[in-house]
């Protein structure tokens, strides 16, 4: 028997089975099918030998439930800004169980593909932090979307899409004129 209890000791879920080994996935729902709140839960495993009736030593451990997506924001440049050359990209990314933040860009107002810019496994914030100086010099001018994806260890994800414009002017074949 596996019992899962919340931090107050209230029973949330019970699994019963037979056999010589035990393996059980828990979907984070109580016995009525409701998702349990984020927090720490204790599981206990009790086993009895069906042939002898001897009880095994109880095994217990902790499970952390995390259904809350991380937080994140892009704070620089401003929404819809026109960028050229190297553009500083600043933002925040955090979560109790923070894992990673990835920054991408896509070409056009509604990109169908994304190019990776940078990744950080460090929490960003609470004040905005420089993620990268994005090099736009070789990109064609036009609409782009910056995408920040923040993930936690429970694979909850926050996605922020941030439209910008890239405008790079290239002047070539200059010649001096006496006029």
């Amino acid at each position: 028997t596996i019992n899962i209890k919340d931090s107050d000791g209230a029973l949330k879920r019970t699994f019963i089975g037979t056999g010589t080994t035990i393996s059980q996935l828990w979907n984070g729902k109580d016995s009525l099918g409701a998702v349990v709140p984020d927090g720490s839960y204790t599981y206990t495993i009790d086993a009895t030998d069906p042939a002898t009736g001897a009880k095994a030593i109880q095994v217990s451990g902790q499970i952390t439930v995390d259904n809350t997506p991380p937080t994140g924001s892009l704070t620089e440049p401003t929404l819809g800004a026109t960028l050229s050359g190297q553009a500083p990209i600043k933002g925040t990314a955090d979560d109790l169980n923070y894992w990673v933040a990835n920054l991408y860009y896509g070409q056009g107002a509604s990109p169908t593909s994304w190019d990776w810019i940078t990744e950080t496994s460090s929490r960003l914030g609470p004040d905005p932090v420089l993620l990268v100086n994005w090099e736009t010099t070789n990109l064609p001018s036009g609409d782009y979307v910056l995408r920040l994806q923040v993930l936690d260890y429970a694979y909850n994800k926050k996605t922020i899409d941030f439209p910008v414009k890239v405008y790079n002017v290239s002047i070539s074949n200059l010649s001096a004129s006496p006029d």
Side-chain angles (χ1 to χ4, degrees):
T1 302
I2 301 173
N3 289 309
I4 300 174
K5 297 180 180 181
D6 66 15
S7 59
D8 295 327
L11 183 64
K12 293 297 174 182
R13 188 77 185 258
T14 298
F15 299 97
I16 298 172
T18 59
T20 57
T21 62
I22 189 165
S23 177
Q24 180 65 53
L25 292 176
W26 180 43
N27 62 3
K29 295 182 180 180
D30 65 17
S31 57
L32 299 175
V35 175
V36 299
D38 288 2
S40 183
Y41 292 80
T42 301
Y43 67 85
T44 57
I45 302 172
D46 296 296
T48 303
D49 185 329
T52 66
K55 293 189 182 286
I57 297 172
Q58 186 181 69
V59 176
S60 65
Q62 296 290 311
I63 304 168
T64 300
V65 172
D66 178 5
N67 295 307
T68 304
T71 60
S73 66
L74 288 172
T75 58
E76 189 177 321
T78 57
L79 193 66
T82 299
L83 313 176
S84 62
Q86 279 198 352
I89 309 297
K90 292 184 179 181
T92 63
D94 198 14
D95 188 79
L96 182 63
N97 298 304
Y98 178 84
W99 177 25
V100 68
N102 285 287
L103 183 65
Y104 305 90
Y105 74 91
Q107 189 172 10
S110 300
T112 56
S113 64
W114 299 91
D115 291 299
W116 179 80
I117 301 173
T118 192
E119 170 183 287
T120 181
S121 58
S122 299
R123 286 182 166 154
L124 307 173
D127 296 324
V129 174
L130 179 68
L131 293 164
V132 69
N133 283 310
W134 183 33
E135 181 56 67
T136 69
T137 304
N138 295 322
L139 296 176
S141 296
D143 291 330
Y144 286 82
V145 176
L146 292 170
R147 172 170 278 181
L148 179 66
Q149 286 189 325
V150 185
L151 288 95
D152 65 18
Y153 280 107
Y155 294 100
N156 296 310
K157 178 171 51 173
K158 170 79 173 188
T159 300
I160 300 101
D161 285 347
F162 202 83
V164 295
K165 292 186 182 307
V166 170
Y167 184 69
N168 287 309
V169 176
S170 176
I171 301 172
S172 59
N173 297 325
L174 292 177
S175 63
S177 172
D179 294 346

